[in-house]
Amino acid sequence: MHNTAKVPKSTSSVEQAKSDIDDFGYCLIEDALEPTVVDAALSRLKEQAAAELELGAAFEDGGPRQQWGAFTDGKGRPRQQAYTAEAGGVNQRVWMLVNKGQIFCQILFTERVRDVVDHVLGDDYLLSSYSANIAKPGGVAMNLHTDQWWMPHPVNRAPSPVPVGSISRQRSNLEGDDPPQMIAPCVCVNVMWMLNEFSAENGGTLLVPGSHVRGRPPRPTDQEEALAAEGPAGTAMVFDGRLWHGTGANVSSQNRYGLLTTFCGPQFRPQENFTIGARSEMLADASPELLKLLGFKTWSGYGRVESPVAEFVSQDERSLGELRS
Ligand SMILES: O=C(O)CCC(=O)C(=O)O
């Protein structure tokens, strides 16, 4: 276990939060969301989650027989990943929240949180994914991981031991010294918005303070160093994409409701494909700032359809195709 005397405390100061995320890889912002916003988001989330379950479209993970990234057939052979109640799922994920309630889009623009994200990621970045994780009683602890497992580690002058296209969750291109001489920069930032109280009992996110600068992915034995992020409803935990973390086991009798908002540098591929998946009724009301987060604004010519100087793209824009004069 980590020395808890030296870990960040919940703060209302943006300056303190920036310093905490630099030093520990995460910060806790108190009362980031007003109680009315928490209530609105929680009731919309519960309604959506119940409807997805009823439809048979719910995605459930984290059961005793099921773990992210560690699916085997009992004989150690990998098997196809399935995230369902039948496969052992307990926790419920609700994806693509931008489409599932205006309140979720509003939360993206919470100023004190975005100030911290700006501090880490700089001027331009994208929304990578926006989902909820409802950690339910009986959910087991998720394997510790980083959110930028896909980011190549620095190499010396020899070719990378694993080509970039062969990097996977299980296979990084890391080799050499531990700790390494050089580490990758932070290229994504995650926000866990606590919609009810998070505690060690109800699956508060497990994390290893300071692990963002260790320069390697976590190993199973690193789980011993983890502590649980705790806080009342309305707290936002903002964390560095390199921080070792994962959902905790929920040994309480209540659901834990959290929203996860991941932002990534504009060079990288977001997890959720908003340019295809965003619904037109949501886009009709979207501000230029929201369109930018969703990847509809080009960045240095990237994300375009044809013209590299077009400022925005839209879902109905098509390439000119094969023409003849
Ligand atoms: O639910 C949590 O506490 C963390 C979830 C997480 O780490 C993930 O989905 O990658």
Side-chain angles (χ1 to χ4, degrees):
M1 269 286 183
H2 206 271
N3 176 2
T4 47
K6 286 227 173 101
V7 299
K9 301 208 172 13
S10 199
T11 179
S12 56
S13 152
V14 172
E15 289 317 307
Q16 182 62 49
K18 290 179 187 172
S19 146
D20 287 343
I21 196 167
D22 289 345
D23 293 346
F24 297 97
Y26 73 103
C27 61
L28 292 159
I29 302 182
E30 73 186 356
D31 299 326
L33 299 177
E34 303 269 340
T36 50
V37 175
V38 172
D39 289 350
L42 189 56
S43 72
R44 182 73 278 276
L45 174 61
K46 286 181 176 173
E47 196 175 46
Q48 182 73 27
E52 293 191 6
L53 266 178
E54 201 176 298
L55 198 66
F59 183 108
E60 293 170 300
D61 67 15
R65 289 185 290 116
Q66 186 195 65
Q67 265 295 9
W68 281 96
F71 283 69
T72 57
D73 62 0
K75 294 185 181 130
R77 293 176 303 209
R79 69 171 165 83
Q80 174 129 32
Q81 296 193 351
Y83 299 102
T84 58
E86 293 74 52
V90 172
N91 299 337
Q92 186 178 355
R93 305 279 179 157
V94 182
W95 309 115
M96 273 275 182
L97 289 180
V98 288
N99 286 332
K100 297 180 181 174
Q102 200 282 325
I103 188 67
F104 300 125
C105 294
Q106 181 188 321
I107 287 173
L108 288 174
F109 296 95
T110 305
E111 212 173 306
R112 282 185 301 146
V113 168
R114 289 293 296 280
D115 284 349
V116 176
V117 181
D118 292 355
H119 165 71
V120 181
L121 290 181
D123 298 331
D124 284 308
Y125 50 83
L126 298 169
L127 184 64
S128 175
S129 63
Y130 193 3
S131 64
N133 190 6
I134 307 175
K136 298 188 181 176
V140 299
M142 186 182 193
N143 294 334
L144 291 179
H145 59 280
T146 77
D147 284 335
Q148 59 177 71
W149 58 265
W150 36 262
M151 177 70 184
H153 293 278
V155 291
N156 59 28
R157 285 175 182 72
S160 174
V162 177
V164 293
S166 300
I167 289 172
S168 68
R169 284 182 193 273
Q170 286 76 33
R171 190 175 180 215
S172 82
N173 71 322
L174 187 67
E175 66 165 12
D177 302 337
D178 181 11
Q181 300 289 316
M182 302 274 286
I183 65 169
C186 174
V187 295
C188 71
V189 169
N190 209 333
V191 184
M192 171 58 97
W193 309 88
M194 303 182 190
L195 295 188
N196 64 348
E197 190 187 4
F198 272 41
S199 67
E201 288 70 43
N202 74 3
T205 311
L206 295 175
L207 57 89
V208 177
S211 54
H212 64 309
V213 288
R214 300 235 192 139
R216 65 167 174 83
R219 304 181 184 119
T221 49
D222 294 317
Q223 204 96 11
E224 285 162 26
E225 279 186 72
L227 57 83
E230 297 183 297
T235 307
M237 176 174 80
V238 188
F239 56 106
D240 185 306
R242 300 168 297 181
L243 189 78
W244 302 347
H245 70 281
T247 316
N250 187 342
V251 295
S252 78
S253 55
Q254 305 292 324
N255 289 349
R256 185 219 72 177
Y257 293 92
L259 305 180
L260 283 159
T261 309
T262 312
F263 300 96
C264 66
Q267 305 86 339
F268 304 104
R269 180 172 169 150
Q271 288 180 62
E272 291 180 328
N273 192 327
F274 299 110
T275 47
I276 290 181
R279 292 180 65 91
S280 51
E281 65 270 22
M282 184 274 289
L283 290 175
D285 291 333
S287 63
E289 291 73 30
L290 180 56
L291 291 174
K292 179 179 173 190
L293 278 183
L294 298 179
F296 288 93
K297 186 167 187 192
T298 60
W299 177 77
S300 302
Y302 284 73
R304 69 196 161 87
V305 175
E306 292 228 358
S307 167
V309 294
E311 203 185 356
F312 284 91
V313 292
S314 72
Q315 280 180 326
D316 49 19
E317 182 172 350
R318 292 286 170 270
S319 153
L320 294 175
E322 207 172 308
L323 301 175
R324 276 173 200 89
S325 59

